[in-house]
Amino acid sequence: MSKIIKPKGYKAALDLRQTEQGIKLIKDFFQQNLATELRLRRVTAPLFVLKGLGINDDLNGVERAVTFPIKDLGDREAEVVHSLAKWKRLTLAEYQVEPGYGIYTDMNAIRADEELDNLHSLYVDQWDWEAVMKEGERNIDFLKSVVKRIYSAILRTEFLACETYPQLKPFLPQDIHFVHSEELIQMYPDMSAKEREDAICKKYGAVFIMGIGGKLSDGKKHDGRAPDYDDWTTPNSDGYLGLNGDILIWYPILGRSVELSSMGIRVDKEALLRQLALEGKEDRKELYFHKRLLDGTLPQSIGGGIGQSRLCMVMLHKAHVGEIQASIWPEEQRKECKEAGMNLI
């Protein structure tokens, strides 16, 4: 059964030339706005890291990293990053970034286990960012303030895209709604996590869903999250667990919710030990990154990733991420998309 959503009567609003110009316009404008909002400095990032140091993001813990041997290191293995969640925190310490400031970078990854559809590709490109927190900022109010600043940058980007290409009409609301994943269960008890996301996003247009990674009252997780970067077990001021979450919007072209960013306040020593124990990953305490965190030589930080191709996709009103980026798709899917008006690059 096809996983592709084919909007009825879909026709791309922009041709190939306009699309390529639009991609550059959005990427240049958004990253400058993001850097200004969060006081971030651009840094250069790796495409791969050495295996066995605990630096790579292991996502949900089941995705395989693309690995290869390095001849000049005695065939020691490197792995293509899944994201730079842990690397960024090491970099904040190395660059001695002061509280209230941070870094951002272009993150390029290969996720070989991704299920390919309108939103998911083998190739992932994100703006990965990380900022050093000040004393007293380890709370839900600070997290919400950062989310609002990111959403403001998204809104300004939508305005620019629609001004540049008048055939595009804005659809995002002026404000983003906050809700905890446990609240969603109470609101929609008979729905799956994905159905709950669609329902809340359709209602509000833009939502930040908090508390992702831990088990909820139904015994299930809203979604998976590695135990060693986001803090999803510390109680917040709303009485729920979790200082992290996802930014999602309702995307009318596909008639579904779309996640644009995953982010959160990062684990401190106590949260790391608690979450490693919960997930049965206590052996990670012996890895380089985790030792640094437990030794207190890494700063307290907040960070996340914002999908570049996905943001361009929604800003330019495309129905498939393959209309934005060059990747590999099953031939049958490529043919199916072409017949539905989606011309994959």
Side-chain angles (χ1 to χ4, degrees), residues 31-305:
Q31 68 181 310
Q32 188 59 53
N33 272 261
L34 180 71
T36 302
E37 282 284 356
L38 302 184
R39 296 195 286 187
L40 308 175
R41 300 151 182 160
R42 192 188 183 284
V43 298
T44 301
L47 175 60
F48 41 81
V49 294
L50 283 173
K51 189 174 181 179
L53 296 179
I55 297 175
N56 202 359
D57 175 6
D58 70 337
L59 302 176
N60 295 312
V62 296
E63 295 87 349
R64 299 170 299 168
V66 175
T67 61
F68 60 93
I70 304 173
K71 181 180 178 182
D72 275 2
L73 291 181
D75 279 348
R76 188 173 177 185
E77 284 197 322
E79 52 188 23
V80 176
V81 297
H82 275 144
S83 86
L84 298 168
K86 302 186 186 96
W87 177 89
K88 290 177 297 181
R89 200 164 175 184
L90 292 166
T91 302
L92 289 177
E94 183 178 347
Y95 287 16
Q96 298 181 332
V97 176
E98 59 268 42
Y101 292 85
I103 59 173
Y104 81 95
T105 190
D106 291 290
M107 190 285 295
N108 298 289
I110 300 172
R111 295 183 181 172
D113 290 336
E114 202 71 81
E115 292 187 12
L116 308 181
D117 56 25
N118 297 69
L119 298 173
H120 298 91
S121 169
L122 298 174
Y123 171 64
V124 179
D125 53 347
Q126 293 182 171
W127 289 288
D128 251 330
W129 65 275
E130 198 85 9
V132 180
M133 290 163 45
K134 299 177 183 177
E135 284 291 327
E137 289 182 334
R138 194 175 188 81
N139 56 66
I140 197 69
D141 290 334
F142 176 65
L143 174 64
K144 288 180 177 179
S145 73
V146 174
V147 171
K148 289 176 182 177
R149 280 181 271 166
I150 294 173
Y151 188 66
S152 293
I154 293 173
L155 283 180
R156 286 195 293 273
T157 305
E158 182 187 47
F159 174 78
L160 176 67
C162 294
E163 285 289 292
T164 305
Y165 305 105
Q167 61 268 49
L168 304 177
K169 304 302 178 185
F171 62 87
L172 292 175
Q174 287 304 298
D175 298 306
I176 187 167
H177 179 75
F178 292 87
V179 65
H180 194 278
S181 53
E182 181 60 42
E183 290 179 280
L184 282 182
I185 290 182
Q186 311 307 322
M187 294 169 66
Y188 308 108
D190 299 323
M191 294 184 181
S192 66
K194 182 66 190 67
E195 290 169 339
R196 293 195 291 269
E197 289 181 354
D198 285 347
I200 197 71
C201 286
K202 189 173 184 179
K203 182 176 181 179
Y204 291 103
V207 181
F208 185 71
I209 300 177
M210 298 174 286
I212 296 178
K215 290 183 179 180
L216 303 173
S217 59
D218 63 354
K220 301 175 183 177
K221 299 179 180 182
H222 181 84
D223 199 359
R225 202 65 108 239
D228 43 16
Y229 55 98
D230 282 356
D231 183 344
W232 39 263
T233 53
T234 294
N236 65 48
S237 59
D238 294 326
Y240 296 107
L241 295 179
L243 296 173
N244 71 339
D246 291 340
I247 296 175
L248 299 100
I249 62 164
W250 178 254
Y251 192 40
I253 288 178
L254 294 182
R256 57 158 291 175
S257 61
V258 172
E259 179 190 321
L260 295 180
S261 176
S262 172
M263 58 174 287
I265 291 173
R266 306 310 198 185
V267 291
D268 57 10
K269 179 180 179 180
E270 290 72 24
L272 175 66
L273 291 173
R274 184 166 57 244
Q275 291 177 187
L276 289 178
L278 281 171
E279 297 295 298
K281 304 287 186 182
E282 291 177 286
D283 56 319
R284 292 189 188 180
K285 290 187 290 184
E286 302 306 313
L287 299 174
Y288 173 73
F289 170 83
H290 303 73
K291 283 183 176 179
R292 289 285 305 273
L293 181 53
L294 294 172
D295 288 346
T297 56
L298 297 181
Q300 295 300 298
S301 66
I302 182 172

